[in-house]
Amino acid sequence: MPVALLALAIGAFGIGTTEFVMMGVLPQAAADFGVDIPTAGHLISAYALGVVVGAPLLTAVAVRLPRKTMLLAMMGLFTVGNALFALSPNQEFGVAFRFLAGLPHGAFFGAGAVVASSLVGHGERAKAVSMMFLGLTLANVIGVPLGTLLGQQVGWRATFGVVAVIGLVAIAAIAKLVPHQGKPAAGASLRNELGAFKRPQVHLALAIVTFGLGGVFACLSYITPMLTDVAGYSPANVTLLLSLAGVGMTIGNLLGGRLADRALMPSLYIALLALASVLGIFTITAQGKVGAAITIFFVGVAGFMIGPMMQARIMEKAGGTPSLVSAAVQSAFNIANSIGAYLGGLVIAGGLGLVAPNWVGALLAVFGLTLAVVSGTLDRREAKAERRELALAS
């Protein structure tokens, strides 16, 4: 694999850390700002909103920039946002700076996925994208636990100061290792990029991300009370178990990239079916410590196999205008996070128990599988129509 993928992975590591470590240091930030935990939770939602808004907006604004320039600009904005957040004087500024830090998230991954796939041959594109996303999954294994520990021992501001330094390292690595991408093709324009959204397969791909990965977040959003109140783990052990889930995510991400290059749609069917099955099984295994630990690992594996598959799928269906739809995947990812968390909370509030979000997740994964089957059926119909046209032309 090209060494330039390391630079992209460093950027992904910083982004993954800043997105998820906020959950670990939320009590410290709340105490520092003098607000309660629910109010401090706006620091999490502000970042997610920044991702959803920034992914299409910044990609559209910079559609004619060389992609290396785009990557450097997005990582620069990310670094500034996190540095300012570390210096926030109060909750209001904190929310604003978290929103700012989230804006470049989707645009970076969108441009990075296109660059990663351009560095390798056609048969290794999904694998290359998964290598970039390796930084994101490793953030859950290394960056989030260490960042949480640093925040608890030194202060949450130190955590985000370190994240800003990671951003600077990523900028240097991208500048040094990523080859010059040249100017965009002559036909590159916002109109052409938006034209990709006229294709039904693009909308199907985004819907598969939203509902398929929504199943993962329905489970993970409430994993702490499941592990403590149902499985019987102490709060001190939850961090280790979340790291175990992160290891599963890392393995799933790498496995998903390799399988996608070999047989994308069959592999996607298997991944979504596996996710639905594992989430269903988790409703039973959550009752015991060993079963819960094993299952949470496989939730990570099955769930994060889907990411590189869908990134490859949507770039394939976008044709020659992949930048905006590639960034839109990150918006869909964060919408999946919101939908999963909302529906999971709904069934808990309805008195169905702390393991009920797993059933919600399984149903969402089944719906994602149904959409994938529809998408695959359209592929076969399109291929059949093309063969018919070729036969008539000859």
Side-chain angles (χ1 to χ4, degrees):
M1 288 282 104
V3 70
L5 295 175
L6 174 62
L8 299 178
I10 293 171
F13 179 84
I15 289 174
T17 300
T18 202
E19 180 174 21
F20 298 114
V21 78
M22 191 71 247
M23 302 172 190
V25 299
L26 198 64
Q28 288 75 29
D32 190 13
F33 288 148
V35 298
D36 57 22
I37 292 294
T39 301
H42 296 158
L43 298 169
I44 297 173
S45 55
Y47 184 91
L49 180 61
V51 177
V52 173
V53 172
L57 181 63
L58 293 182
T59 302
V61 168
V63 69
R64 298 192 67 88
L65 285 178
R67 291 195 177 101
K68 180 174 180 177
T69 304
M70 175 72 163
L71 290 171
L72 289 169
M74 293 305 99
M75 193 49 56
L77 182 58
F78 166 84
T79 302
V80 170
N82 279 282
L84 289 173
F85 177 59
L87 299 172
S88 299
N90 54 44
Q91 168 77 3
E92 290 73 22
F93 275 96
V95 168
F97 292 142
R98 280 288 284 174
F99 176 80
L100 178 66
L103 284 174
H105 177 129
F108 177 86
F109 278 116
V114 176
V115 170
S117 63
S118 72
L119 297 173
V120 297
H122 182 75
E124 292 188 310
R125 288 180 180 176
K127 179 182 176 182
V129 171
S130 74
M131 294 302 293
M132 178 187 72
F133 278 94
L134 180 63
L136 182 63
T137 55
L138 284 176
N140 288 284
V141 181
I142 301 171
V144 173
L146 290 180
T148 299
L149 182 63
L150 178 65
Q152 291 170 345
Q153 300 299 318
V154 181
W156 68 270
R157 295 178 188 274
T159 298
F160 289 94
V162 170
V163 169
V165 172
I166 294 172
L168 291 174
V169 173
I171 290 171
I174 292 167
K176 178 71 175 177
L177 301 177
V178 174
H180 181 62
Q181 297 292 299
K183 293 183 178 180
S189 68
L190 178 57
R191 177 178 293 180
N192 289 341
E193 290 283 346
L194 289 172
F197 288 94
K198 295 179 181 178
R199 299 169 183 144
Q201 289 282 31
V202 168
H203 291 283
L204 273 172
L206 292 172
I208 293 167
V209 173
T210 299
F211 292 103
L213 288 175
V216 178
F217 291 112
C219 167
L220 294 184
S221 296
Y222 303 97
I223 191 63
T224 297
M226 280 188 221
L227 293 173
T228 55
D229 297 357
V230 180
Y233 280 102
S234 68
N237 289 324
V238 171
T239 300
L240 292 176
L241 290 165
L242 292 179
S243 294
L244 180 63
V247 172
M249 294 173 191
T250 302
I251 293 172
N253 173 65
L254 294 174
L255 184 60
R258 283 156 177 77
L259 290 175
D261 283 327
R262 295 182 181 181
L264 199 161
M265 292 309 291
S267 298
L268 179 61
Y269 301 151
I270 292 170
L272 287 165
L273 180 59
L275 177 60
S277 301
V278 171
L279 288 171
I281 291 169
F282 198 19
T283 61
I284 300 170
T285 57
Q287 310 298 326
K289 289 185 176 181
V290 175
I294 294 172
T295 312
I296 192 63
F297 169 80
F298 283 106
V299 168
V301 173
F304 276 71
M305 284 173 63
I306 299 168
M309 292 178 183
M310 292 314 304
Q311 196 77 52
R313 174 73 172 172
I314 203 163
M315 287 193 295
E316 173 189 293
K317 293 305 174 183
T321 53
S323 296
L324 192 56
V325 292
S326 183
V329 172
Q330 297 303 312
S331 293
F333 183 89
N334 278 270
I335 293 170
N337 194 340
S338 300
I339 288 175
Y342 173 74
L343 293 177
L346 207 61
V347 293
I348 292 175
L352 297 180
L354 288 173
V355 298
N358 293 325
W359 285 121
V360 172
L363 291 173
L364 287 172
V366 168
F367 186 56
L369 175 59
T370 303
L371 294 174
V373 170
V374 171
S375 183
T377 301
L378 288 178
D379 275 350
R380 290 189 292 274
R381 287 180 180 175
E382 291 168 2
K384 187 176 180 179
E386 287 177 6
R387 288 194 298 269
R388 188 183 300 117
E389 289 177 6
L390 287 173
L392 291 173
S394 60

